[in-house]
Amino acid sequence: MFGRRKQKRPAGPRENLKRGLRGQEGRLRAGTRSLVRFVVGTAKLAAVLGVLVLAGWGGSLLWHNAGPWMAELFRVREVTVVGLQQVTRAEVLTRLRLDKQAVLYDIDPDKLVERLRTHPWIKDAELTRLPFHQLQVTIMERRPAAVVQRSDINVLVDEEGQILKWLGRVDEPSLPLCVGVEPRHLAQGASRERRTIKAAVTLAGILAETTSERIVIDATNPANLVATVKETRLSFGHSGFQEKWGLYARLRPNLATEHRLVGDPSPIDVDLRFAGRVIVRERG
């Protein structure tokens, strides 16, 4: 035991030193791969940017040369207008105010429609661009719904209370007559007067389904619209016109017998302001 010799360690670097060298080599290779990836990524990015720059420059050059030709191809040369009854084509073109050099793809339809809506008879409009140089304008006109009368002033209005025409002393007997509303307030866009006109037109439309006589709506008190048909005056309140008129229509035959209205020219007042009730009074 004491005579055995201790084995000598082989010559060369120690084992832990080898592991350290391998780690350094691994880190060196990883760093090299990262550097390669960075260089490749940078090169790709530079290539993409170069392509974009060239494409932009080429597109700019192409547009500079082709722009005038494209503008000439799509220049507005024809404007067709459909849906006209009260409005004239000249009035539409005046409202559009199109430039002589206007190009179809540069036109803003919303802006042109807003210009058209400034005409009192035009409720709405639609613009369609047709290849290669035609602009089609479709007009939706307002429809006369009533004559508003105040003193010696008559104005023609639609169902929304929009003034279509100042008539002066002229009348339109085929339309319902509304009194008690100030036309000048309507012209200023007063919402209260417009709501009153809308209610009056609605009521007149309901009554017109069962009579050919001219209907006069007194809107002096918006809370109680009073309709006059020939010698009959009906108070409706401010709402529920259809239901109230339906109730009166069902009871009318009995009321006519009771109050001797058949063949009797005596005027009557019918009060329909209260739900489910019809009150009839003879006017002396």
Side-chain angles (χ1 to χ4, degrees), residues 211-247:
T211 180
S212 59
E213 299 289 339
R214 191 178 196 187
I215 300 164
V216 180
I217 306 294
D218 187 347
T220 304
N221 178 12
N224 180 32
L225 298 186
V226 180
T228 300
V229 183
K230 209 170 182 178
E231 296 297 330
T232 304
R233 189 167 59 195
L234 306 102
S235 299
F236 280 88
H238 67 281
S239 62
F241 306 138
Q242 188 72 60
E243 294 79 4
K244 293 173 181 177
W245 179 247
L247 175 63

Side-chain angles (χ1 to χ4, degrees), residues 26-184:
R27 287 193 294 273
L28 181 61
R29 285 195 296 270
T32 302
R33 286 196 295 270
S34 298
L35 178 61
V36 170
R37 284 197 298 269
F38 173 76
V39 172
V40 171
T42 303
K44 288 182 178 179
L45 178 61
V48 170
L49 292 176
V51 170
L52 291 177
V53 170
L54 289 175
W57 177 79
S60 176
L61 184 62
L62 178 63
W63 178 254
H64 178 74
N65 293 325
W69 177 80
M70 293 288 289
E72 188 64 26
L73 176 64
F74 289 99
R75 195 176 310 283
V76 178
R77 302 182 187 277
E78 182 180 357
V79 179
T80 59
V81 185
V82 297
L84 297 181
Q85 293 182 356
Q86 301 290 337
V87 185
T88 66
R89 184 175 186 275
E91 290 174 316
V92 172
L93 296 180
T94 299
R95 285 298 197 287
L96 287 174
R97 300 198 307 273
L98 283 176
D99 187 273
K100 293 183 179 180
Q101 304 300 317
V103 180
L104 278 179
Y105 51 75
D106 283 339
I107 286 176
D108 184 348
D110 294 337
K111 185 176 181 180
L112 296 183
V113 168
E114 286 302 316
R115 291 178 183 176
L116 292 172
R117 285 176 180 160
T118 61
H119 193 289
W121 280 89
I122 297 179
K123 186 173 184 178
D124 205 353
E126 180 180 334
L127 273 67
T128 305
R129 290 173 281 200
L130 303 175
F132 288 98
H133 50 259
Q134 183 179 358
L135 181 65
Q136 179 175 293
V137 184
T138 303
I139 300 294
M140 282 70 81
E141 291 187 355
R142 297 181 182 274
R143 295 184 299 175
V147 174
V148 176
Q149 185 180 78
R150 185 74 169 181
S151 301
D152 59 346
I153 300 176
N154 291 344
V155 295
L156 193 65
V157 299
D158 73 345
E159 71 277 3
E160 295 179 348
Q162 168 70 37
I163 293 181
L164 304 178
K165 187 177 181 181
W166 291 82
L167 300 174
R169 295 179 180 273
V170 178
D171 194 7
E172 291 286 348
S174 62
L175 295 174
L177 184 65
C178 182
V179 298
V181 175
E182 178 56 61
R184 292 183 180 85

